Amino acid sequence: MLLAVAFIVSFFFAMNIGASGAAASMGVAYGSGAIPKKSMALLLCGIGVFLGSLGGGEVVKTIGSGIIPSSILTVKIVVIILTAAAISLFAANIMGIPLSTSEITVGSVVGVGIAYQAVYFHKLLFIVSVWIVIPIVAFSFTLAVGKWFLALKRKYPQLEQGRWQKTFMALLVVTGFLEAFSAGMNNVANAVGPLVGAGLMAVGPATIFGGLFVAAGALLLGHRVLETNGKKITNFSPFEGSAISGTGAVLVIISSLFGLPVPLTQITTSAIIGIGTAKSGMSIWQKRIVVQLLKVWFVSPIFSLVISYSLVKLLLDSDVYTVIAIFSVCLATLGVISLKKTVAEEERSLHEHGGGI
């Protein structure tokens, strides 16, 4: 029974990965109009994800045994890891936020490792450092490309017309598909890696089945995240969209070849913000959706870590007191955040109406 639960949770998580990370990979092509129909964008995403998953074996090995010893990955632990990650991701999908599945999966694995005092911290620190560097690289590169293209358009206005426009549209579809391919190569491991680490599946079948469910998730659940990345952050031309998707695809594929689970959605969204900054200046950073994305990115791995750690303590160690303590801290934190939000809204209201002390 528990074995069946492990597979069900794994494949449910895979579908949510498709909705979050994989669907976001085609958001650029959809947002720029290169693919006008949302259903077509999600279909191409699903195909690209499945093909990419076939080459994701190295990342599967990292998730399965590169962060914590595979010896502690029992069926119960696998269920706990995947449940903690799935809860975090499902909540983000409900809000329409493109969350990094790599971050929450690694957070869940680390939560279990901390509970058992068995974490390969040298490997973990290297992965986290890559998480910090790669989005910065993506932002910096697209910021430079965006400024260069703006200067080029002022000199050659015809670049956004006729034959050039059609060429950039075709290029954007290709780079969007390539980014979906990279999503499959890197993100499928988040769902099936724990199964492989526990010896429940071999790497080959795991990537195939995981790829199928991630593709299904992109098709069935990816509409809201596609809308967020495509329409709500900034508008972009086909060339700018190609720069965004191409940057994300190259960085993620390179990382996958080295077995590194990286935040695809952070890379893509950072690239989008880079283009937006080149066009609109720092005003884009004041948009509510950008601020919300940054907050969720920071909190999500910690959230999944706390959930998996708490589940181990409660279900396996019967340590109710630790869980109560963690829950109390979370409630206190939410209370402080809510209070700050209320104060900020009141101050803004006073400012708008000319009030003050």
Side-chain angles (χ1 to χ4, degrees), residues 9-29:
V9 173
S10 173
F11 295 142
F12 172 74
F13 183 37
M15 291 186 69
N16 277 277
I17 288 174
S20 181
S25 68
M26 293 300 292
V28 181

Side-chain angles (χ1 to χ4, degrees), residues 334-353:
L334 289 174
V336 171
I337 292 173
S338 178
L339 179 61
K340 286 184 176 180
K341 184 178 179 180
T342 302
V343 171
E345 289 176 351
E346 289 179 354
E347 289 179 348
R348 183 165 57 249
S349 178
L350 286 171
H351 178 74
E352 289 174 353
H353 292 85

Side-chain angles (χ1 to χ4, degrees), residues 1-356:
M1 180 62 181
L2 194 59
L3 184 62
V5 171
F7 280 93
I8 291 171
V9 173
S10 173
F11 295 142
F12 172 74
F13 183 37
M15 291 186 69
N16 277 277
I17 288 174
S20 181
S25 68
M26 293 300 292
V28 181
Y30 169 68
S32 65
I35 304 176
K37 292 185 178 181
K38 189 182 296 186
S39 58
M40 180 58 68
L42 293 174
L43 176 61
L44 288 174
C45 172
I47 295 171
V49 163
F50 176 71
L51 294 176
S53 69
L54 303 179
E58 291 303 314
V59 188
V60 170
K61 295 174 185 176
T62 298
I63 295 293
S65 59
I67 301 172
I68 62 175
S70 59
S71 58
I72 68 175
L73 286 175
T74 63
V75 177
K76 290 181 180 179
I77 292 297
V78 168
V79 171
I80 286 173
I81 290 172
L82 293 174
T83 298
I87 290 172
S88 303
L89 186 56
F90 184 72
N93 286 339
I94 293 297
M95 294 186 293
I97 297 295
L99 189 65
S100 167
T101 55
S102 296
E103 286 194 354
I104 62 171
T105 304
V106 171
S108 297
V109 172
V110 172
V112 168
I114 290 174
Y116 281 91
Q117 300 181 6
V119 179
Y120 298 141
F121 280 106
H122 63 286
K123 182 71 172 182
L124 177 62
L125 289 174
F126 180 71
I127 291 173
V128 172
S129 66
V130 171
W131 287 354
I132 296 170
V133 171
I134 286 189
I136 294 173
V137 171
F139 170 82
S140 302
F141 180 75
T142 53
L143 175 64
V145 169
K147 289 184 176 180
W148 169 78
F149 189 64
L150 285 173
L152 202 62
K153 282 195 297 183
R154 285 193 289 266
K155 190 174 182 180
Y156 304 103
Q158 66 272 23
L159 282 176
E160 289 191 317
Q161 302 170 3
R163 178 171 57 88
W164 285 106
Q165 183 79 351
K166 293 180 180 178
T167 301
F168 290 145
M169 284 285 193
L171 177 63
L172 180 55
V173 174
V174 172
T175 54
F177 184 83
L178 187 61
E179 188 174 16
F181 178 91
S182 72
M185 197 173 180
N186 199 272
N187 283 354
V188 168
N190 297 321
V192 299
L195 296 177
V196 173
L200 303 179
M201 290 188 79
V203 174
T207 55
I208 293 174
F209 281 103
L212 287 172
F213 277 92
V214 171
L219 287 169
L220 301 175
L221 305 173
H223 296 78
R224 292 193 66 181
V225 177
L226 189 73
E227 194 73 24
T228 296
N229 258 34
K231 302 289 188 180
K232 294 183 180 179
I233 298 178
T234 188
N235 297 318
F236 21 73
S237 69
F239 175 81
E240 293 164 345
S242 299
I244 292 166
S245 291
T247 299
V250 170
L251 291 174
V252 173
I253 289 174
I254 291 173
S255 300
S256 301
L257 293 174
F258 287 95
L260 294 171
V262 292
L264 170 61
T265 36
Q266 284 197 21
I267 294 169
T268 303
T269 311
S270 297
I272 292 173
I273 296 173
I275 288 292
T277 304
K279 295 170 64 177
S280 309
M282 297 305 294
S283 62
I284 190 175
W285 291 88
Q286 299 173 3
K287 284 192 174 185
R288 183 179 178 184
I289 186 65
V290 174
V291 175
Q292 190 178 10
L293 287 170
L294 293 174
K295 287 180 179 179
V296 173
W297 287 349
F298 177 76
V299 172
S300 56
I302 300 174
F303 183 55
S304 60
L305 185 155
V306 169
I307 292 175
S308 64
Y309 179 86
S310 300
L311 288 174
V312 170
K313 289 297 181 182
L314 180 63
L315 300 178
L316 302 185
D317 297 346
S318 299
D319 187 354
V320 179
Y321 295 102
T322 297
V323 176
I324 292 174
I326 293 172
F327 184 69
S328 300
V329 171
C330 292
L331 281 180
T333 303
L334 289 174
V336 171
I337 292 173
S338 178
L339 179 61
K340 286 184 176 180
K341 184 178 179 180
T342 302
V343 171
E345 289 176 351
E346 289 179 354
E347 289 179 348
R348 183 165 57 249
S349 178
L350 286 171
H351 178 74
E352 289 174 353
H353 292 85

